[in-house]
């Protein structure tokens, strides 16, 4: 009675072993595409909005100084001093701004790009514009010592489509990853060296009576 589950399991294992070698590759591709598509459907879309500010030198500064201060302002844009003012206009906590806002600068142009990402397109626009506004106000307060002003170059506009990957893209990525894993499993699969599946018979050992007869 206790051997019944084991006897039922053996035919199933035998059928799995008899599957063709490429079945691991197909199974990995299908499972990877399924999980990737489910991830794309269950993950909320992300929207991105970007505003731009430009550093303008005064009569006592040079364009090189403006580019240098643009780099500096890009680094301090996500600091607490700037985000503390931006949270009032954005209507979100400082922690949300710190996690959602990124800045980028260029060594060739005195410009700072402020990019915000959110599950709501309108909130992404508000956060990007709020940080840009707070940054220009801080630059205005220090204009007397830096001789450089920050001017709003372009306000963020509401994005028309999400910036995150669609479910079709995530399904394709998942299928590629699953196929790769299936291929690795196929390569690591032990190869058969014998001609058949039946085990080789064990060598027989003669008993004591048989051995005595042989010696006679």
């Amino acid at each position: 009675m206790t051997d019944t589950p084991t006897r039922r399991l053996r035919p199933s294992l035998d059928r799995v072993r008899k599957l063709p070698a490429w079945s691991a590759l197909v199974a990995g591709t299908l499972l990877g595409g399924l999980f990737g598509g489910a991830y794309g459907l269950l993950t909320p879309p992300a929207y991105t909005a970007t505003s731009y500010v430009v550093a303008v030198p005064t009569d006592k500064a040079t364009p090189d100084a403006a580019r240098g201060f643009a780099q500096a302002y890009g680094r301090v844009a996500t600091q607490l001093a700037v985000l503390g003012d931006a949270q009032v206009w954005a209507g979100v906590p400082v922690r949300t701004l710190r996690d959602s806002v990124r800045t980028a600068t260029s060594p060739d142009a005195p410009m700072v790009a402020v990019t915000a990402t959110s599950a709501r397109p309108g909130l992404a626009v508000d956060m990007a514009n709020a940080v840009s506004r707070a940054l220009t106000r801080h630059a205005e307060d220090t204009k007397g010592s830096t001789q450089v002003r920050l001017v709003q170059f372009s306000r963020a506009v509401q994005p028309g489509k999400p910036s995150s990957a669609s479910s079709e893209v995530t399904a394709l990525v998942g299928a590629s990853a699953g196929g790769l894993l299936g291929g690795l499993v196929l390569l690591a699969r032990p190869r058969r060296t014998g001609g058949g599946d039946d085990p080789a018979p064990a060598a027989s050992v003669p008993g004591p009576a048989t051995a005595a007869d042989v010696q006679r």
Side-chain angles (χ1 to χ4, degrees):
M1 297 296 291
T2 57
D3 295 337
T4 302
T6 304
R7 292 177 180 176
R8 293 177 179 177
L9 182 60
R10 287 178 180 175
S12 299
L13 294 177
D14 292 338
R15 285 194 294 267
V16 172
R17 292 191 185 99
K18 292 179 180 179
L19 290 175
W22 48 264
S23 59
L25 183 62
V26 175
T29 303
L30 293 177
L31 289 176
L34 179 62
F35 284 115
Y39 174 81
L41 291 175
L42 297 177
T43 303
Y47 295 87
T48 300
T50 303
S51 62
Y52 298 90
V53 294
V54 60
V56 179
T58 62
D59 297 337
K60 299 180 181 180
T62 63
D64 291 337
R67 285 192 293 269
F69 276 107
Q71 300 285 331
Y73 285 131
R75 289 190 290 269
V76 303
T78 55
Q79 300 300 316
L80 182 61
V82 178
L83 299 183
D85 293 341
Q87 69 172 342
V88 179
W89 299 308
V92 296
V94 173
R95 182 177 180 180
T96 302
L97 291 174
R98 186 184 295 113
D99 296 338
S100 304
V101 176
R102 297 291 181 269
T103 59
T105 57
S106 172
D108 301 325
M111 186 174 293
V112 181
V114 181
T115 302
T117 303
S118 175
R120 293 181 291 168
L123 181 58
V125 172
D126 293 340
M127 289 191 296
N129 289 331
V131 174
S132 296
R133 180 179 178 184
L135 186 62
T136 55
R137 289 194 59 178
H138 277 267
E140 191 68 24
D141 295 338
T142 59
K143 181 182 63 175
S145 58
T146 62
Q147 300 299 320
V148 173
R149 300 176 60 243
L150 278 184
V151 180
Q152 184 83 42
F153 182 78
S154 176
R155 292 179 59 85
V157 295
Q158 185 163 327
K161 59 181 180 179
S163 57
S164 56
S166 62
S167 58
E168 291 81 4
V169 175
T170 56
L172 182 59
V173 173
S176 301
L180 177 61
L181 292 177
L184 294 177
V185 171
L186 185 61
L187 292 176
R189 182 179 180 182
R191 300 181 181 274
R192 298 177 180 177
T193 55
D197 295 334
D198 297 333
S204 60
V205 179
T210 307
D213 294 337
V214 172
Q215 291 177 359
R216 291 176 185 175

